[in-house]
Amino acid sequence: MYPRFKSRKKSRKSAEYTTSAFRFKDGRLTLAKMVDPLDIVWSRPLPEGASPSTATVPQDTAGRWYVSLLVEDPTIQPLPATDAVVGVDVGLDHLLTLSTGQKVSNPRHERRGHARLVKAQRQLARKTRGDGANRTKARRKVARAHAHIADRRRDHLHKLTTRLVRENQTIVIEDLAVRNMVKNGKLARAISDAAWADFRSMPEYKAQWYGREVIAVDRWFPSSRLCSACGTLGDKMPLNVREWTCDCGRTHDRDVNAAKNILAAGLAVSVCGAGARPQRSAPSGQSAMKQKPLRREP
Ligand SMILES: [Zn+2]
């Protein structure tokens, strides 16, 4: 027996069970009114001795069932403090670029996933209202292809963010509120935005586990063309320019330079006091900047 939902087509399908409504024993989960334990493919092992307080059973748009368990993990302890800090730029070209110069690409095989998605979307587009069940089937296929890509990215991001949080005391990222992704194919953008939302939340709760700090800065400044070495604002450059040289003689990788500027902005906030946000007016020395605030430079 599976949970029943209010609507078959609309609203996110999900059922929540509190401690009295499920039994968790020897790694087997049995929900209320069920005789046998669920047949679960575990995404990760539960921590030793953990007893879940809530079980949520959602079904995604691809029709797959999930179980998510809320547990207190007694094994997670704050890590010893470190001096390392890092700024992170999120992009389309590379998933993440770090202020250290390291670039992290998208998960492997993502191209293949995209090809499958495009094909499924084409098939769906050919279906008309009259196709009924076939159209539903085609829609499912698109959703499944989407979910597959998203899952892989999420796994990838989990590994990355855990590493970032473990290795650094302070992680500076840009705030979603002012994010305005570069113009790109709708598909790449949707997927990238979804990954971005994950990337935004993951480091924050992991930082709490490990005693680290995450600072989100409003990216109102033209971080790509602001020289991270001398603070001079370079000329506007098209997206295909990946490298540029400042008048001061420093040559910058566009994304690494952006990550460095994000880090600097975050550390400035950190000095101003926890919870403070960077000013949205131009900092002194850059008053000649003719950028509209809240605008994201590609
Ligand atoms: Zn410079």
Side-chain angles (χ1 to χ4, degrees):
M1 188 188 132
Y2 288 94
R4 291 201 306 169
F5 303 107
K6 283 182 199 128
S7 159
R8 215 159 50 84
K9 270 187 178 159
K10 278 172 201 146
S11 88
R12 193 182 150 76
K13 294 178 175 181
S14 180
E16 198 176 289
Y17 298 79
T18 47
T19 9
S20 56
F22 68 87
R23 200 169 65 243
F24 186 74
K25 212 181 154 212
D26 304 325
R28 311 268 281 162
L29 181 73
T30 313
L31 298 175
K33 295 181 193 166
M34 275 183 157
V35 180
D36 297 317
L38 288 171
D39 192 11
I40 297 174
V41 181
W42 294 97
S43 59
R44 68 205 67 179
L46 284 191
E48 197 83 18
S51 69
S53 57
T54 313
T56 314
V57 187
Q59 186 183 30
D60 72 5
T61 45
R64 303 174 305 176
W65 292 92
Y66 288 88
V67 173
S68 96
L69 298 172
L70 188 64
V71 289
E72 279 274 323
D73 185 349
T75 62
I76 289 184
Q77 299 286 342
L79 294 167
T82 161
D83 289 336
V85 292
V86 72
V88 186
D89 177 67
V90 184
L92 285 175
D93 231 24
H94 283 90
L95 190 56
L96 307 178
T97 302
L98 310 184
S99 54
T100 54
Q102 204 199 342
K103 296 195 172 192
V104 183
S105 45
N106 287 314
R108 286 177 60 199
H109 311 307
E110 184 153 308
R111 235 169 250 278
R112 212 184 300 159
H114 276 218
R116 210 171 72 176
L117 177 54
V118 168
K119 194 178 150 200
Q121 278 178 328
R122 236 179 255 140
Q123 278 168 351
L124 174 61
R126 277 201 293 268
K127 301 272 184 287
T128 58
R129 274 194 177 279
D131 288 335
N134 277 333
R135 189 156 172 250
T136 308
K137 226 159 107 187
R139 198 182 292 122
R140 273 274 156 94
K141 225 172 181 172
V142 170
R144 224 161 23 228
H146 243 297
H148 181 76
I149 298 174
D151 286 354
R152 293 197 73 121
R153 273 220 176 176
R154 197 165 299 127
D155 277 358
H156 193 58
L157 280 171
H158 263 302
K159 288 187 193 116
L160 290 172
T161 51
T162 298
R163 207 197 84 203
L164 279 174
V165 168
R166 294 188 70 101
E167 289 176 358
N168 297 280
Q169 189 63 36
T170 303
I171 299 103
V172 186
I173 57 182
E174 52 175 320
D175 202 346
L176 181 63
V178 291
R179 183 171 176 78
N180 175 19
M181 282 297 296
V182 255
K183 282 190 201 79
N184 195 284
K186 267 190 197 153
L187 175 62
R189 182 186 161 146
I191 290 165
S192 172
D193 283 358
W196 204 93
D198 281 336
F199 179 72
R200 182 71 181 74
S201 64
M202 285 177 187
E204 247 157 34
Y205 64 76
K206 290 178 183 178
Q208 283 199 344
W209 295 347
Y210 296 115
R212 303 299 201 218
E213 181 187 27
V214 172
I215 299 173
V217 294
D218 286 352
R219 190 165 165 177
W220 52 268
F221 56 96
S223 56
S224 302
R225 60 193 179 100
L226 187 66
C227 174
S228 57
C230 73
T232 302
L233 189 65
D235 292 332
K236 263 197 144 170
M237 50 189 163
L239 257 181
N240 58 3
V241 177
R242 306 312 304 174
E243 211 180 81
W244 59 283
T245 303
C246 176
D247 291 340
C248 75
R250 284 288 291 269
T251 299
H252 296 291
D253 173 282
R254 182 189 188 117
D255 298 336
V256 175
N257 183 58
K260 282 181 178 170
N261 283 326
I262 289 170
L263 174 62
L267 294 181
V269 176
S270 173
V271 169
C272 294
R277 297 178 75 82
Q279 295 297 308
R280 284 189 181 176
S281 56
S284 58
Q286 290 161 28
S287 48
M289 242 163 42
K290 286 208 179 80
Q291 280 295 310
K292 269 186 252 160
L294 298 186
R295 167 158 178 197
R296 183 189 196 265
E297 273 295 294

